[in-house]
Amino acid sequence: MAERIFRIAIDGPSGAGKSTIAKAVAKRLGIDYIDTGAMYRAITYLVLKEGLDPQNEEQSCSVLDHVNLELTIDGKIIINGDDVTRIIREGEVTANVSYIASYKKIRLFLVDMQREMSKNLSIVMDGRDIGTYVLPNADV
């Protein structure tokens, strides 16, 4: 008999401790944790790396045509072959991620990716609108 797949969504505002709780729950249950915020940060990193203006929606969205984003089982964030796990937490990315997260095309792209990632895995996912929009049918 196959093991049951289940999804846990942790929603809430910035700075509420969502990621801390989500990581602890995933570890305790032995399931994957999906850091949705890191996904937006990775796109922001790519925009900056390519010398594009993160405040320009058209320029920023153009990276979606050639992005390969991977979240590894050991918590690494890989974008177009580069391990950006640490650099996406640095100042320039932090200062610009809110622009990237506001662009509808990027949000839809990442939401589709997040939903796809959750189809066949038991996961804990945290972020704004996770429970209400990304995974409205989460088990918990």
Side-chain angles (χ1 to χ4, degrees):
M1 186 164 104
E3 192 173 308
R4 182 176 177 270
I5 305 275
F6 62 94
R7 290 152 202 89
I8 299 172
I10 299 178
D11 209 326
S14 176
K18 296 181 305 293
S19 295
T20 302
I21 297 297
K23 288 176 193 174
V25 168
K27 183 176 181 177
R28 178 100 182 232
L29 296 175
I31 62 176
D32 290 324
Y33 163 65
I34 298 176
D35 184 349
T36 61
M39 297 170 80
Y40 288 95
R41 287 176 170 275
I43 299 292
T44 304
Y45 165 83
L46 186 59
V47 168
L48 294 167
K49 179 184 177 191
E50 293 189 4
L52 304 173
D53 179 1
Q55 294 184 48
N56 181 301
E57 186 171 359
E58 184 177 347
Q59 283 184 27
S60 295
C61 290
S62 72
V63 302
L64 298 179
D65 295 334
H66 59 276
V67 68
N68 181 7
L69 179 59
E70 178 186 357
L71 282 68
T72 68
I73 194 133
D74 60 349
K76 291 185 178 157
I77 313 300
I78 311 294
I79 193 159
N80 292 355
D82 294 332
D83 180 349
V84 297
T85 308
R86 293 180 194 248
I87 198 166
I88 63 171
R89 306 291 177 190
E90 293 180 1
E92 190 175 16
V93 170
T94 298
N96 289 288
V97 69
S98 63
Y99 301 115
I100 301 307
S102 73
Y103 302 141
K104 185 175 184 177
K105 186 174 180 180
I106 291 173
R107 289 189 66 80
L108 291 175
F109 177 86
L110 291 178
V111 166
D112 283 347
M113 188 175 180
Q114 292 157 5
R115 287 178 177 157
E116 189 62 34
M117 292 168 76
S118 73
K119 277 186 179 177
N120 300 310
L121 293 173
S122 289
I123 54 97
V124 177
M125 190 180 296
D126 76 281
R128 294 183 187 170
D129 303 323
I130 294 301
T132 56
Y133 183 69
V134 180
L135 297 177
N137 297 319
D139 300 285
V140 178

